[in-house]
Amino acid sequence: MVRARIIGTGQHLPEKVLTNLDLEKMMDTTDEWIRQRTGIKQRYVAANGQGASDLGGPAAARAIEAAGIDPKEIDLIICCTTTPDYLFPASACLIQHQVGATKAAAYDVNAACSGFVCGLTTANAYIQAGIYKTIVIVGTEVVTSRLNWKKRDTAVLFGDGAGAVVVRAENGDHGILSTFLGADGGSGDLLILPGGGSRNVVTKENVDTGVHDISMKGPELFKKAVVVFGEAVQQALTATGLAINDIDVFIPHQANTRIIYAAADRIGLPQEKVFLNIDRVANTTAASIPIAIDDAVTQGRIRSGSIVLLAAFGAGITWGSIMLRW
Ligand code: ACO
């Protein structure tokens, strides 16, 4: 059977690190509050003028190098981001140019923090259908470009960064075993950036009223996240016929350690199987899972044959899961 197998991973983080102690000097917050409520200790922050492709391009280049392929073999680049360089052209096109993937199609996907799972699901479908053989999926975000540093409820949560994977069609047992996506558009107000799109255009009045700031109903989102994480995991188990004990590594979207552990408890997954890097990189939205995959590979937590479960939730609200055999 043909499967989409991840054959290379990479990441790229900005140089500047902002710790919780740095944030204490910028707003009314404490390192203790942030660590206890979220698990975050620090985050990376892009330089002024640095766009999503400036992080995503180098992450993709590392994944391509790790895969040992020629960029001209790439059929498609999917860039998952909520903070593209421009409204258009797509950041995927900028990345295509940077990495020299001259034969690749390229487009962006926006499903907030579930973006990477959506992108990888799409890549899997192309490969299963025999349309493409080699696809690069990039998750890249400059979320701090959208933060209001005066709003402590959201400013402390996010960070910038990029991760990427190369998937290739392969015969055999290794690769993606199941995919599942869900959405509830009726809960869109739980996490929303109202400004900058076609509804609330950029005007001085709109900027003054704060519509360009992220608005989040944190506690409500928290409760939804625990439930939909559980559903996403259950769907993956049902689709593959695997049991919870078969999972070697669980790589969740890194939104909040408490959400992740609550979801793990709900599904009966031991905490030692959960991979976390939120302490180092914070919530990097669509980049969070590919950065975590690359960290898990580098740290030897994922090896050939490992059963790996990816699960995400994000604004929309959207959620999903992917089970794979490494
Ligand atoms: N520093 C100090 N105090 C703060 C801060 C801060 N940065 N932010 C809020 N507070 C205060 C609040 O004002 C409130 O004070 P009050 O009790 O005097 O009113 C108190 O802390 C508690 O606030 P809550 O919002 O109830 O705190 P909670 O325990 O729910 O934690 C948090 C907040 C971390 C946001 C949590 O609700 C959460 O993680 N929710 C999910 C958020 C999330 O996952 N977002 C992203 C997911 S989707 C995606 O990734 C795109």
mmCIF file with all atom_site columns, all heavy atoms in Angstrom, residues 29 33 37 113 152-153 156 191 216 218-219 221-222 253 255-256 258-259 283 313, ligand 1:
data_model
loop_
_atom_site.group_PDB
_atom_site.id
_atom_site.type_symbol
_atom_site.label_atom_id
_atom_site.label_alt_id
_atom_site.label_comp_id
_atom_site.label_asym_id
_atom_site.label_entity_id
_atom_site.label_seq_id
_atom_site.pdbx_PDB_ins_code
_atom_site.Cartn_x
_atom_site.Cartn_y
_atom_site.Cartn_z
_atom_site.occupancy
_atom_site.B_iso_or_equiv
_atom_site.pdbx_formal_charge
_atom_site.auth_seq_id
_atom_site.auth_comp_id
_atom_site.auth_asym_id
_atom_site.auth_atom_id
_atom_site.pdbx_PDB_model_num
ATOM   1   N N   . THR A 1 29  ? 2.523   41.114 34.964 1.00 0.00 ? 29  THR A N   1
ATOM   2   C CA  . THR A 1 29  ? 2.451   39.652 35.001 1.00 0.00 ? 29  THR A CA  1
ATOM   3   C C   . THR A 1 29  ? 3.633   39.123 35.800 1.00 0.00 ? 29  THR A C   1
ATOM   4   O O   . THR A 1 29  ? 4.508   39.899 36.195 1.00 0.00 ? 29  THR A O   1
ATOM   5   C CB  . THR A 1 29  ? 2.451   39.059 33.568 1.00 0.00 ? 29  THR A CB  1
ATOM   6   O OG1 . THR A 1 29  ? 2.092   37.688 33.642 1.00 0.00 ? 29  THR A OG1 1
ATOM   7   C CG2 . THR A 1 29  ? 3.806   39.184 32.872 1.00 0.00 ? 29  THR A CG2 1
ATOM   8   N N   . TRP A 1 33  ? 3.050   33.091 37.431 1.00 0.00 ? 33  TRP A N   1
ATOM   9   C CA  . TRP A 1 33  ? 1.691   32.969 36.859 1.00 0.00 ? 33  TRP A CA  1
ATOM   10  C C   . TRP A 1 33  ? 1.786   32.285 35.495 1.00 0.00 ? 33  TRP A C   1
ATOM   11  O O   . TRP A 1 33  ? 1.034   31.351 35.215 1.00 0.00 ? 33  TRP A O   1
ATOM   12  C CB  . TRP A 1 33  ? 1.042   34.352 36.698 1.00 0.00 ? 33  TRP A CB  1
ATOM   13  C CG  . TRP A 1 33  ? -0.440  34.275 36.363 1.00 0.00 ? 33  TRP A CG  1
ATOM   14  C CD1 . TRP A 1 33  ? -1.475  34.370 37.240 1.00 0.00 ? 33  TRP A CD1 1
ATOM   15  C CD2 . TRP A 1 33  ? -1.028  34.063 35.066 1.00 0.00 ? 33  TRP A CD2 1
ATOM   16  N NE1 . TRP A 1 33  ? -2.678  34.227 36.578 1.00 0.00 ? 33  TRP A NE1 1
ATOM   17  C CE2 . TRP A 1 33  ? -2.440  34.036 35.233 1.00 0.00 ? 33  TRP A CE2 1
ATOM   18  C CE3 . TRP A 1 33  ? -0.528  33.884 33.783 1.00 0.00 ? 33  TRP A CE3 1
ATOM   19  C CZ2 . TRP A 1 33  ? -3.332  33.860 34.174 1.00 0.00 ? 33  TRP A CZ2 1
ATOM   20  C CZ3 . TRP A 1 33  ? -1.425  33.691 32.723 1.00 0.00 ? 33  TRP A CZ3 1
ATOM   21  C CH2 . TRP A 1 33  ? -2.804  33.689 32.925 1.00 0.00 ? 33  TRP A CH2 1
ATOM   22  N N   . ARG A 1 37  ? 0.170   28.600 34.915 1.00 0.00 ? 37  ARG A N   1
ATOM   23  C CA  . ARG A 1 37  ? -1.056  28.551 34.103 1.00 0.00 ? 37  ARG A CA  1
ATOM   24  C C   . ARG A 1 37  ? -0.839  27.926 32.730 1.00 0.00 ? 37  ARG A C   1
ATOM   25  O O   . ARG A 1 37  ? -1.764  27.387 32.130 1.00 0.00 ? 37  ARG A O   1
ATOM   26  C CB  . ARG A 1 37  ? -1.619  29.961 33.877 1.00 0.00 ? 37  ARG A CB  1
ATOM   27  C CG  . ARG A 1 37  ? -2.198  30.631 35.100 1.00 0.00 ? 37  ARG A CG  1
ATOM   28  C CD  . ARG A 1 37  ? -3.379  29.834 35.645 1.00 0.00 ? 37  ARG A CD  1
ATOM   29  N NE  . ARG A 1 37  ? -4.479  30.619 36.157 1.00 0.00 ? 37  ARG A NE  1
ATOM   30  C CZ  . ARG A 1 37  ? -4.492  31.238 37.317 1.00 0.00 ? 37  ARG A CZ  1
ATOM   31  N NH1 . ARG A 1 37  ? -3.424  31.235 38.096 1.00 0.00 ? 37  ARG A NH1 1
ATOM   32  N NH2 . ARG A 1 37  ? -5.578  31.893 37.713 1.00 0.00 ? 37  ARG A NH2 1
ATOM   33  N N   . CYS A 1 113 ? -4.250  27.069 14.658 1.00 0.00 ? 113 CYS A N   1
ATOM   34  C CA  . CYS A 1 113 ? -3.297  26.123 15.258 1.00 0.00 ? 113 CYS A CA  1
ATOM   35  C C   . CYS A 1 113 ? -3.454  24.709 14.716 1.00 0.00 ? 113 CYS A C   1
ATOM   36  O O   . CYS A 1 113 ? -2.581  23.875 14.929 1.00 0.00 ? 113 CYS A O   1
ATOM   37  C CB  . CYS A 1 113 ? -3.449  26.116 16.762 1.00 0.00 ? 113 CYS A CB  1
ATOM   38  S SG  . CYS A 1 113 ? -3.212  27.748 17.433 1.00 0.00 ? 113 CYS A SG  1
ATOM   39  N N   . ARG A 1 152 ? -2.028  41.416 28.613 1.00 0.00 ? 152 ARG A N   1
ATOM   40  C CA  . ARG A 1 152 ? -1.307  40.294 29.213 1.00 0.00 ? 152 ARG A CA  1
ATOM   41  C C   . ARG A 1 152 ? -2.020  38.958 29.017 1.00 0.00 ? 152 ARG A C   1
ATOM   42  O O   . ARG A 1 152 ? -1.399  37.904 29.070 1.00 0.00 ? 152 ARG A O   1
ATOM   43  C CB  . ARG A 1 152 ? -1.101  40.559 30.708 1.00 0.00 ? 152 ARG A CB  1
ATOM   44  C CG  . ARG A 1 152 ? -2.397  40.581 31.499 1.00 0.00 ? 152 ARG A CG  1
ATOM   45  C CD  . ARG A 1 152 ? -2.157  40.819 32.967 1.00 0.00 ? 152 ARG A CD  1
ATOM   46  N NE  . ARG A 1 152 ? -3.427  40.735 33.701 1.00 0.00 ? 152 ARG A NE  1
ATOM   47  C CZ  . ARG A 1 152 ? -3.519  40.789 34.987 1.00 0.00 ? 152 ARG A CZ  1
ATOM   48  N NH1 . ARG A 1 152 ? -2.436  40.985 35.738 1.00 0.00 ? 152 ARG A NH1 1
ATOM   49  N NH2 . ARG A 1 152 ? -4.686  40.703 35.596 1.00 0.00 ? 152 ARG A NH2 1
ATOM   50  N N   . ASP A 1 153 ? -3.369  38.996 28.823 1.00 0.00 ? 153 ASP A N   1
ATOM   51  C CA  . ASP A 1 153 ? -4.092  37.721 28.710 1.00 0.00 ? 153 ASP A CA  1
ATOM   52  C C   . ASP A 1 153 ? -3.694  36.931 27.463 1.00 0.00 ? 153 ASP A C   1
ATOM   53  O O   . ASP A 1 153 ? -3.764  35.703 27.454 1.00 0.00 ? 153 ASP A O   1
ATOM   54  C CB  . ASP A 1 153 ? -5.616  37.948 28.750 1.00 0.00 ? 153 ASP A CB  1
ATOM   55  C CG  . ASP A 1 153 ? -6.110  38.812 27.599 1.00 0.00 ? 153 ASP A CG  1
ATOM   56  O OD1 . ASP A 1 153 ? -5.354  39.708 27.158 1.00 0.00 ? 153 ASP A OD1 1
ATOM   57  O OD2 . ASP A 1 153 ? -7.250  38.587 27.135 1.00 0.00 ? 153 ASP A OD2 1
ATOM   58  N N   . VAL A 1 156 ? 1.328   36.874 26.687 1.00 0.00 ? 156 VAL A N   1
ATOM   59  C CA  . VAL A 1 156 ? 2.291   35.956 27.312 1.00 0.00 ? 156 VAL A CA  1
ATOM   60  C C   . VAL A 1 156 ? 2.270   34.563 26.674 1.00 0.00 ? 156 VAL A C   1
ATOM   61  O O   . VAL A 1 156 ? 3.148   33.746 26.945 1.00 0.00 ? 156 VAL A O   1
ATOM   62  C CB  . VAL A 1 156 ? 2.019   35.812 28.833 1.00 0.00 ? 156 VAL A CB  1
ATOM   63  C CG1 . VAL A 1 156 ? 2.063   37.167 29.517 1.00 0.00 ? 156 VAL A CG1 1
ATOM   64  C CG2 . VAL A 1 156 ? 0.705   35.116 29.116 1.00 0.00 ? 156 VAL A CG2 1
ATOM   65  N N   . LEU A 1 191 ? -11.717 32.558 19.857 1.00 0.00 ? 191 LEU A N   1
ATOM   66  C CA  . LEU A 1 191 ? -10.365 33.047 19.559 1.00 0.00 ? 191 LEU A CA  1
ATOM   67  C C   . LEU A 1 191 ? -10.411 33.677 18.178 1.00 0.00 ? 191 LEU A C   1
ATOM   68  O O   . LEU A 1 191 ? -10.620 32.977 17.184 1.00 0.00 ? 191 LEU A O   1
ATOM   69  C CB  . LEU A 1 191 ? -9.360  31.884 19.601 1.00 0.00 ? 191 LEU A CB  1
ATOM   70  C CG  . LEU A 1 191 ? -7.895  32.228 19.374 1.00 0.00 ? 191 LEU A CG  1
ATOM   71  C CD1 . LEU A 1 191 ? -7.396  33.252 20.393 1.00 0.00 ? 191 LEU A CD1 1
ATOM   72  C CD2 . LEU A 1 191 ? -7.028  30.985 19.466 1.00 0.00 ? 191 LEU A CD2 1
ATOM   73  N N   . MET A 1 216 ? -9.532  36.608 22.964 1.00 0.00 ? 216 MET A N   1
ATOM   74  C CA  . MET A 1 216 ? -9.633  35.190 23.347 1.00 0.00 ? 216 MET A CA  1
ATOM   75  C C   . MET A 1 216 ? -10.462 35.019 24.608 1.00 0.00 ? 216 MET A C   1
ATOM   76  O O   . MET A 1 216 ? -10.278 35.756 25.578 1.00 0.00 ? 216 MET A O   1
ATOM   77  C CB  . MET A 1 216 ? -8.222  34.640 23.599 1.00 0.00 ? 216 MET A CB  1
ATOM   78  C CG  . MET A 1 216 ? -8.214  33.150 23.872 1.00 0.00 ? 216 MET A CG  1
ATOM   79  S SD  . MET A 1 216 ? -6.543  32.524 24.092 1.00 0.00 ? 216 MET A SD  1
ATOM   80  C CE  . MET A 1 216 ? -6.194  33.131 25.724 1.00 0.00 ? 216 MET A CE  1
ATOM   81  N N   . GLY A 1 218 ? -10.353 32.680 27.090 1.00 0.00 ? 218 GLY A N   1
ATOM   82  C CA  . GLY A 1 218 ? -9.421  31.622 27.500 1.00 0.00 ? 218 GLY A CA  1
ATOM   83  C C   . GLY A 1 218 ? -10.065 30.442 28.208 1.00 0.00 ? 218 GLY A C   1
ATOM   84  O O   . GLY A 1 218 ? -9.885  29.290 27.786 1.00 0.00 ? 218 GLY A O   1
ATOM   85  N N   . PRO A 1 219 ? -10.820 30.685 29.298 1.00 0.00 ? 219 PRO A N   1
ATOM   86  C CA  . PRO A 1 219 ? -11.370 29.533 30.038 1.00 0.00 ? 219 PRO A CA  1
ATOM   87  C C   . PRO A 1 219 ? -12.336 28.690 29.190 1.00 0.00 ? 219 PRO A C   1
ATOM   88  O O   . PRO A 1 219 ? -12.324 27.456 29.267 1.00 0.00 ? 219 PRO A O   1
ATOM   89  C CB  . PRO A 1 219 ? -12.097 30.193 31.214 1.00 0.00 ? 219 PRO A CB  1
ATOM   90  C CG  . PRO A 1 219 ? -11.372 31.502 31.414 1.00 0.00 ? 219 PRO A CG  1
ATOM   91  C CD  . PRO A 1 219 ? -10.981 31.951 30.035 1.00 0.00 ? 219 PRO A CD  1
ATOM   92  N N   . LEU A 1 221 ? -12.285 28.363 25.898 1.00 0.00 ? 221 LEU A N   1
ATOM   93  C CA  . LEU A 1 221 ? -11.452 27.667 24.906 1.00 0.00 ? 221 LEU A CA  1
ATOM   94  C C   . LEU A 1 221 ? -10.769 26.463 25.551 1.00 0.00 ? 221 LEU A C   1
ATOM   95  O O   . LEU A 1 221 ? -10.659 25.388 24.944 1.00 0.00 ? 221 LEU A O   1
ATOM   96  C CB  . LEU A 1 221 ? -10.419 28.644 24.356 1.00 0.00 ? 221 LEU A CB  1
ATOM   97  C CG  . LEU A 1 221 ? -9.639  28.232 23.124 1.00 0.00 ? 221 LEU A CG  1
ATOM   98  C CD1 . LEU A 1 221 ? -10.553 27.912 21.954 1.00 0.00 ? 221 LEU A CD1 1
ATOM   99  C CD2 . LEU A 1 221 ? -8.677  29.351 22.723 1.00 0.00 ? 221 LEU A CD2 1
ATOM   100 N N   . PHE A 1 222 ? -10.309 26.660 26.767 1.00 0.00 ? 222 PHE A N   1
ATOM   101 C CA  . PHE A 1 222 ? -9.647  25.597 27.536 1.00 0.00 ? 222 PHE A CA  1
ATOM   102 C C   . PHE A 1 222 ? -10.562 24.373 27.601 1.00 0.00 ? 222 PHE A C   1
ATOM   103 O O   . PHE A 1 222 ? -10.153 23.246 27.273 1.00 0.00 ? 222 PHE A O   1
ATOM   104 C CB  . PHE A 1 222 ? -9.351  26.135 28.946 1.00 0.00 ? 222 PHE A CB  1
ATOM   105 C CG  . PHE A 1 222 ? -8.451  25.270 29.767 1.00 0.00 ? 222 PHE A CG  1
ATOM   106 C CD1 . PHE A 1 222 ? -7.201  25.720 30.152 1.00 0.00 ? 222 PHE A CD1 1
ATOM   107 C CD2 . PHE A 1 222 ? -8.855  24.004 30.186 1.00 0.00 ? 222 PHE A CD2 1
ATOM   108 C CE1 . PHE A 1 222 ? -6.361  24.932 30.926 1.00 0.00 ? 222 PHE A CE1 1
ATOM   109 C CE2 . PHE A 1 222 ? -8.030  23.210 30.962 1.00 0.00 ? 222 PHE A CE2 1
ATOM   110 C CZ  . PHE A 1 222 ? -6.778  23.681 31.330 1.00 0.00 ? 222 PHE A CZ  1
ATOM   111 N N   . HIS A 1 253 ? -0.604  19.852 19.808 1.00 0.00 ? 253 HIS A N   1
ATOM   112 C CA  . HIS A 1 253 ? -0.377  21.292 19.639 1.00 0.00 ? 253 HIS A CA  1
ATOM   113 C C   . HIS A 1 253 ? -0.006  21.875 21.002 1.00 0.00 ? 253 HIS A C   1
ATOM   114 O O   . HIS A 1 253 ? -0.679  21.631 22.003 1.00 0.00 ? 253 HIS A O   1
ATOM   115 C CB  . HIS A 1 253 ? -1.633  21.959 19.091 1.00 0.00 ? 253 HIS A CB  1
ATOM   116 C CG  . HIS A 1 253 ? -1.605  23.448 19.209 1.00 0.00 ? 253 HIS A CG  1
ATOM   117 N ND1 . HIS A 1 253 ? -0.541  24.188 18.748 1.00 0.00 ? 253 HIS A ND1 1
ATOM   118 C CD2 . HIS A 1 253 ? -2.482  24.321 19.756 1.00 0.00 ? 253 HIS A CD2 1
ATOM   119 C CE1 . HIS A 1 253 ? -0.770  25.472 19.007 1.00 0.00 ? 253 HIS A CE1 1
ATOM   120 N NE2 . HIS A 1 253 ? -1.931  25.578 19.619 1.00 0.00 ? 253 HIS A NE2 1
ATOM   121 N N   . ALA A 1 255 ? -0.291  24.365 23.221 1.00 0.00 ? 255 ALA A N   1
ATOM   122 C CA  . ALA A 1 255 ? -1.036  25.574 23.599 1.00 0.00 ? 255 ALA A CA  1
ATOM   123 C C   . ALA A 1 255 ? -0.919  25.855 25.084 1.00 0.00 ? 255 ALA A C   1
ATOM   124 O O   . ALA A 1 255 ? -0.845  27.016 25.500 1.00 0.00 ? 255 ALA A O   1
ATOM   125 C CB  . ALA A 1 255 ? -2.502  25.434 23.224 1.00 0.00 ? 255 ALA A CB  1
ATOM   126 N N   . ASN A 1 256 ? -0.924  24.784 25.878 1.00 0.00 ? 256 ASN A N   1
ATOM   127 C CA  . ASN A 1 256 ? -0.968  24.967 27.320 1.00 0.00 ? 256 ASN A CA  1
ATOM   128 C C   . ASN A 1 256 ? -0.754  23.597 27.962 1.00 0.00 ? 256 ASN A C   1
ATOM   129 O O   . ASN A 1 256 ? -1.493  22.655 27.667 1.00 0.00 ? 256 ASN A O   1
ATOM   130 C CB  . ASN A 1 256 ? -2.353  25.538 27.689 1.00 0.00 ? 256 ASN A CB  1
ATOM   131 C CG  . ASN A 1 256 ? -2.493  25.796 29.170 1.00 0.00 ? 256 ASN A CG  1
ATOM   132 O OD1 . ASN A 1 256 ? -2.112  24.980 29.984 1.00 0.00 ? 256 ASN A OD1 1
ATOM   133 N ND2 . ASN A 1 256 ? -3.061  26.937 29.491 1.00 0.00 ? 256 ASN A ND2 1
ATOM   134 N N   . ARG A 1 258 ? -1.435  22.511 30.834 1.00 0.00 ? 258 ARG A N   1
ATOM   135 C CA  . ARG A 1 258 ? -2.591  22.008 31.611 1.00 0.00 ? 258 ARG A CA  1
ATOM   136 C C   . ARG A 1 258 ? -3.644  21.394 30.696 1.00 0.00 ? 258 ARG A C   1
ATOM   137 O O   . ARG A 1 258 ? -4.239  20.372 31.018 1.00 0.00 ? 258 ARG A O   1
ATOM   138 C CB  . ARG A 1 258 ? -3.213  23.139 32.441 1.00 0.00 ? 258 ARG A CB  1
ATOM   139 C CG  . ARG A 1 258 ? -2.335  23.540 33.633 1.00 0.00 ? 258 ARG A CG  1
ATOM   140 C CD  . ARG A 1 258 ? -3.090  24.514 34.521 1.00 0.00 ? 258 ARG A CD  1
ATOM   141 N NE  . ARG A 1 258 ? -3.471  25.708 33.783 1.00 0.00 ? 258 ARG A NE  1
ATOM   142 C CZ  . ARG A 1 258 ? -4.584  26.411 33.991 1.00 0.00 ? 258 ARG A CZ  1
ATOM   143 N NH1 . ARG A 1 258 ? -5.458  26.045 34.893 1.00 0.00 ? 258 ARG A NH1 1
ATOM   144 N NH2 . ARG A 1 258 ? -4.838  27.494 33.294 1.00 0.00 ? 258 ARG A NH2 1
ATOM   145 N N   . ILE A 1 259 ? -3.884  22.046 29.519 1.00 0.00 ? 259 ILE A N   1
ATOM   146 C CA  . ILE A 1 259 ? -4.850  21.485 28.556 1.00 0.00 ? 259 ILE A CA  1
ATOM   147 C C   . ILE A 1 259 ? -4.357  20.116 28.100 1.00 0.00 ? 259 ILE A C   1
ATOM   148 O O   . ILE A 1 259 ? -5.106  19.147 28.040 1.00 0.00 ? 259 ILE A O   1
ATOM   149 C CB  . ILE A 1 259 ? -5.012  22.397 27.322 1.00 0.00 ? 259 ILE A CB  1
ATOM   150 C CG1 . ILE A 1 259 ? -5.658  23.726 27.697 1.00 0.00 ? 259 ILE A CG1 1
ATOM   151 C CG2 . ILE A 1 259 ? -5.822  21.694 26.221 1.00 0.00 ? 259 ILE A CG2 1
ATOM   152 C CD1 . ILE A 1 259 ? -5.776  24.708 26.527 1.00 0.00 ? 259 ILE A CD1 1
ATOM   153 N N   . ASN A 1 283 ? 3.428   29.005 22.503 1.00 0.00 ? 283 ASN A N   1
ATOM   154 C CA  . ASN A 1 283 ? 2.456   28.564 21.496 1.00 0.00 ? 283 ASN A CA  1
ATOM   155 C C   . ASN A 1 283 ? 2.805   29.233 20.169 1.00 0.00 ? 283 ASN A C   1
ATOM   156 O O   . ASN A 1 283 ? 2.625   30.435 20.008 1.00 0.00 ? 283 ASN A O   1
ATOM   157 C CB  . ASN A 1 283 ? 1.047   28.953 21.963 1.00 0.00 ? 283 ASN A CB  1
ATOM   158 C CG  . ASN A 1 283 ? -0.032  28.549 20.973 1.00 0.00 ? 283 ASN A CG  1
ATOM   159 O OD1 . ASN A 1 283 ? 0.263   28.168 19.840 1.00 0.00 ? 283 ASN A OD1 1
ATOM   160 N ND2 . ASN A 1 283 ? -1.275  28.650 21.394 1.00 0.00 ? 283 ASN A ND2 1
ATOM   161 N N   . PHE A 1 313 ? -5.728  21.552 18.066 1.00 0.00 ? 313 PHE A N   1
ATOM   162 C CA  . PHE A 1 313 ? -6.980  22.313 18.071 1.00 0.00 ? 313 PHE A CA  1
ATOM   163 C C   . PHE A 1 313 ? -6.591  23.776 17.924 1.00 0.00 ? 313 PHE A C   1
ATOM   164 O O   . PHE A 1 313 ? -5.471  24.174 18.231 1.00 0.00 ? 313 PHE A O   1
ATOM   165 C CB  . PHE A 1 313 ? -7.765  22.106 19.376 1.00 0.00 ? 313 PHE A CB  1
ATOM   166 C CG  . PHE A 1 313 ? -7.184  22.863 20.534 1.00 0.00 ? 313 PHE A CG  1
ATOM   167 C CD1 . PHE A 1 313 ? -7.679  24.109 20.885 1.00 0.00 ? 313 PHE A CD1 1
ATOM   168 C CD2 . PHE A 1 313 ? -6.123  22.352 21.241 1.00 0.00 ? 313 PHE A CD2 1
ATOM   169 C CE1 . PHE A 1 313 ? -7.123  24.825 21.926 1.00 0.00 ? 313 PHE A CE1 1
ATOM   170 C CE2 . PHE A 1 313 ? -5.553  23.061 22.289 1.00 0.00 ? 313 PHE A CE2 1
ATOM   171 C CZ  . PHE A 1 313 ? -6.053  24.295 22.634 1.00 0.00 ? 313 PHE A CZ  1
HETATM 172 N N1  . ACO B 2 .   ? -0.445  37.524 34.213 1.00 0.00 ? 1   ACO B N1  1
HETATM 173 C C1  . ACO B 2 .   ? -1.046  37.605 35.399 1.00 0.00 ? 1   ACO B C1  1
HETATM 174 N N2  . ACO B 2 .   ? -2.372  37.513 35.583 1.00 0.00 ? 1   ACO B N2  1
HETATM 175 C C2  . ACO B 2 .   ? -3.125  37.279 34.479 1.00 0.00 ? 1   ACO B C2  1
HETATM 176 C C3  . ACO B 2 .   ? -2.553  37.182 33.188 1.00 0.00 ? 1   ACO B C3  1
HETATM 177 C C4  . ACO B 2 .   ? -1.159  37.320 33.084 1.00 0.00 ? 1   ACO B C4  1
HETATM 178 N N3  . ACO B 2 .   ? -0.520  37.207 31.907 1.00 0.00 ? 1   ACO B N3  1
HETATM 179 N N4  . ACO B 2 .   ? -3.556  36.949 32.312 1.00 0.00 ? 1   ACO B N4  1
HETATM 180 C C5  . ACO B 2 .   ? -4.699  36.903 33.015 1.00 0.00 ? 1   ACO B C5  1
HETATM 181 N N5  . ACO B 2 .   ? -4.446  37.119 34.323 1.00 0.00 ? 1   ACO B N5  1
HETATM 182 C C6  . ACO B 2 .   ? -5.387  37.146 35.441 1.00 0.00 ? 1   ACO B C6  1
HETATM 183 C C7  . ACO B 2 .   ? -6.798  37.424 34.990 1.00 0.00 ? 1   ACO B C7  1
HETATM 184 O O1  . ACO B 2 .   ? -7.016  38.820 34.892 1.00 0.00 ? 1   ACO B O1  1
HETATM 185 C C8  . ACO B 2 .   ? -7.608  36.810 36.132 1.00 0.00 ? 1   ACO B C8  1
HETATM 186 O O2  . ACO B 2 .   ? -7.603  37.722 37.212 1.00 0.00 ? 1   ACO B O2  1
HETATM 187 P P1  . ACO B 2 .   ? -8.926  37.869 38.160 1.00 0.00 ? 1   ACO B P1  1
HETATM 188 O O3  . ACO B 2 .   ? -9.127  36.526 38.775 1.00 0.00 ? 1   ACO B O3  1
HETATM 189 O O4  . ACO B 2 .   ? -8.513  38.918 39.126 1.00 0.00 ? 1   ACO B O4  1
HETATM 190 O O5  . ACO B 2 .   ? -10.030 38.265 37.231 1.00 0.00 ? 1   ACO B O5  1
HETATM 191 C C9  . ACO B 2 .   ? -6.766  35.613 36.557 1.00 0.00 ? 1   ACO B C9  1
HETATM 192 O O6  . ACO B 2 .   ? -5.454  35.848 36.027 1.00 0.00 ? 1   ACO B O6  1
HETATM 193 C C10 . ACO B 2 .   ? -7.294  34.284 36.056 1.00 0.00 ? 1   ACO B C10 1
HETATM 194 O O7  . ACO B 2 .   ? -7.606  34.421 34.680 1.00 0.00 ? 1   ACO B O7  1
HETATM 195 P P2  . ACO B 2 .   ? -8.200  33.212 33.887 1.00 0.00 ? 1   ACO B P2  1
HETATM 196 O O8  . ACO B 2 .   ? -8.359  33.612 32.462 1.00 0.00 ? 1   ACO B O8  1
HETATM 197 O O9  . ACO B 2 .   ? -9.382  32.638 34.598 1.00 0.00 ? 1   ACO B O9  1
HETATM 198 O O10 . ACO B 2 .   ? -6.985  32.170 34.022 1.00 0.00 ? 1   ACO B O10 1
HETATM 199 P P3  . ACO B 2 .   ? -6.932  30.688 33.548 1.00 0.00 ? 1   ACO B P3  1
HETATM 200 O O11 . ACO B 2 .   ? -6.542  29.853 34.706 1.00 0.00 ? 1   ACO B O11 1
HETATM 201 O O12 . ACO B 2 .   ? -8.116  30.278 32.757 1.00 0.00 ? 1   ACO B O12 1
HETATM 202 O O13 . ACO B 2 .   ? -5.688  30.731 32.552 1.00 0.00 ? 1   ACO B O13 1
HETATM 203 C C11 . ACO B 2 .   ? -5.290  30.833 30.199 1.00 0.00 ? 1   ACO B C11 1
HETATM 204 C C12 . ACO B 2 .   ? -5.736  31.577 31.432 1.00 0.00 ? 1   ACO B C12 1
HETATM 205 C C13 . ACO B 2 .   ? -3.852  30.404 30.385 1.00 0.00 ? 1   ACO B C13 1
HETATM 206 C C14 . ACO B 2 .   ? -5.395  31.744 29.011 1.00 0.00 ? 1   ACO B C14 1
HETATM 207 C C15 . ACO B 2 .   ? -6.179  29.574 30.017 1.00 0.00 ? 1   ACO B C15 1
HETATM 208 O O14 . ACO B 2 .   ? -7.537  29.926 30.088 1.00 0.00 ? 1   ACO B O14 1
HETATM 209 C C16 . ACO B 2 .   ? -5.921  28.885 28.713 1.00 0.00 ? 1   ACO B C16 1
HETATM 210 O O15 . ACO B 2 .   ? -4.855  28.372 28.479 1.00 0.00 ? 1   ACO B O15 1
HETATM 211 N N6  . ACO B 2 .   ? -6.929  28.852 27.849 1.00 0.00 ? 1   ACO B N6  1
HETATM 212 C C17 . ACO B 2 .   ? -6.775  28.292 26.539 1.00 0.00 ? 1   ACO B C17 1
HETATM 213 C C18 . ACO B 2 .   ? -5.988  29.263 25.727 1.00 0.00 ? 1   ACO B C18 1
HETATM 214 C C19 . ACO B 2 .   ? -5.424  28.621 24.543 1.00 0.00 ? 1   ACO B C19 1
HETATM 215 O O16 . ACO B 2 .   ? -5.176  27.451 24.509 1.00 0.00 ? 1   ACO B O16 1
HETATM 216 N N7  . ACO B 2 .   ? -5.226  29.464 23.555 1.00 0.00 ? 1   ACO B N7  1
HETATM 217 C C20 . ACO B 2 .   ? -4.695  29.116 22.350 1.00 0.00 ? 1   ACO B C20 1
HETATM 218 C C21 . ACO B 2 .   ? -5.323  27.888 21.786 1.00 0.00 ? 1   ACO B C21 1
HETATM 219 S S1  . ACO B 2 .   ? -5.769  27.947 20.149 1.00 0.00 ? 1   ACO B S1  1
HETATM 220 C C22 . ACO B 2 .   ? -4.431  28.371 19.407 1.00 0.00 ? 1   ACO B C22 1
HETATM 221 O O17 . ACO B 2 .   ? -3.387  27.950 19.820 1.00 0.00 ? 1   ACO B O17 1
HETATM 222 C C23 . ACO B 2 .   ? -4.559  29.340 18.290 1.00 0.00 ? 1   ACO B C23 1
#
